[in-house]
Amino acid sequence: MASLLPRACLIGILLCSLSLFSHANQSSSYDALFSQNADNTQLQTLAKQLNRGETAQGNFTQYRYLKVLKKPLVSHGQFLFQNQQGLAWLQTRPFASGLVLTQGALIQIDSDGNRQISQAQNNQQANALAQMMPTLMNGLLQGEIAPLASQFSLFLLQEGQQWQLGLVPLDPLIKQAMPKLVLQGEQQLQQLILLGHNGDRSEIHFEQITNQPLNEQQLNYFSSVAPKPAQ
């Protein structure tokens, strides 16, 4: 975010830089998915397929489809995940920005590298999302799917190696920000889709996901203090 974002925007952006949606009718393009409740056997099979270890990083392209615009808004960047550190979502285009969740704190990084830290417990919705994020990210990137059932209603469609996992948050505060999520892929996660109340949606396409350990520069994003410039 070229300028630091208001807290109201944090909730949607925190999960892969998605914006809040509101009002009207739910999109119907995933009705088949959300009519198929997932069972434990299916979830265990998917978990084995997705397990990538304790660290993950990769590139993303995000498309935000808004009914008021003819063309989607497109952004590019990199995500970093380490289960002991948290999640960093680093946009590189059309401008540099970052959002980091670590140990219950939200760190916003503007295009100049300035950081603003918000404690999640100071906001009910942010706190609920902060509690949910480790479970969600472990599910997406480490194959820990079964624990998601404590925080989401789960739905699953599979055809060969292709799969779609639908999630509906159980917490009403989180559901206000993220009504329905769809994850889909084959051997690994390929897309994350957020369906809005009014037919708007965000699609995030993941590429080059690896479990390569984070280097020192990448780990600096999880620090509450901006790293000093090299001498």
Side-chain angles (χ1 to χ4, degrees):
M1 314 54 187
S3 59
L4 292 178
L5 296 169
R7 178 169 296 184
C9 295
L10 281 177
I11 304 305
I13 295 172
L14 185 54
L15 181 60
C16 301
S17 192
L18 300 175
S19 62
L20 301 179
F21 297 107
S22 60
H23 310 306
N25 295 321
Q26 197 67 249
S27 171
S28 60
S29 58
Y30 291 93
D31 284 352
L33 169 61
F34 286 100
S35 67
Q36 297 292 323
N37 292 312
D39 62 37
N40 287 334
T41 301
Q42 292 174 312
L43 293 176
Q44 289 173 4
T45 300
L46 181 59
K48 293 178 182 179
Q49 194 168 318
L50 291 179
N51 187 11
R52 300 192 65 85
E54 297 182 352
T55 303
Q57 58 180 293
N59 300 326
F60 71 84
T61 301
Q62 177 184 331
Y63 301 87
R64 292 176 55 199
Y65 295 90
L66 308 178
K67 295 178 70 175
V68 297
L69 299 178
K70 292 183 178 180
K71 295 182 178 180
L73 302 174
V74 183
S75 59
H76 305 268
Q78 179 187 32
F79 77 89
L80 309 171
F81 173 73
Q82 211 283 337
N83 69 341
Q84 298 297 319
Q85 297 287 342
L87 170 70
W89 191 255
L90 308 171
Q91 179 178 293
T92 56
R93 290 183 288 159
F95 51 82
S97 64
L99 187 70
V100 182
L101 170 65
T102 176
Q103 298 179 347
L106 309 177
I107 304 173
Q108 297 175 80
I109 307 172
D110 67 16
S111 57
D112 295 321
N114 299 315
R115 298 186 177 208
Q116 177 175 301
I117 302 172
S118 302
Q119 296 300 320
Q121 65 264 26
N122 295 333
N123 179 280
Q124 281 189 325
Q125 197 176 43
N127 189 46
L129 189 59
Q131 296 297 320
M132 176 271 292
M133 282 300 294
T135 302
L136 179 60
M137 294 310 299
N138 285 341
L140 300 186
L141 301 171
Q142 294 184 250
E144 297 291 337
I145 300 294
L148 291 175
S150 66
Q151 297 178 339
F152 297 92
S153 296
L154 301 178
F155 306 84
L156 185 64
L157 280 179
Q158 291 180 297
E159 183 175 346
Q161 292 295 315
Q162 297 181 335
W163 54 268
Q164 287 184 335
L165 181 66
L167 300 92
V168 177
L170 299 177
D171 189 308
L173 290 172
I174 297 175
K175 195 171 183 178
Q176 290 176 15
M178 301 179 295
K180 287 184 177 181
L181 297 91
V182 177
L183 316 173
Q184 56 190 38
E186 294 184 10
Q187 291 301 315
Q188 65 180 26
L189 176 67
Q190 295 175 336
Q191 292 184 42
L192 169 61
I193 302 162
L194 178 65
L195 304 176
H197 289 297
N198 60 352
D200 293 344
R201 73 185 191 279
S202 283
E203 296 184 4
I204 297 178
H205 298 243
F206 296 100
E207 296 179 337
Q208 300 176 333
I209 298 178
T210 73
N211 61 352
Q212 180 178 345
L214 305 185
N215 59 38
E216 183 177 354
Q217 181 179 5
Q218 291 170 326
L219 289 171
N220 279 334
Y221 284 108
F222 298 96
S223 172
S224 59
V225 180
K228 295 180 179 180
Q231 298 295 322

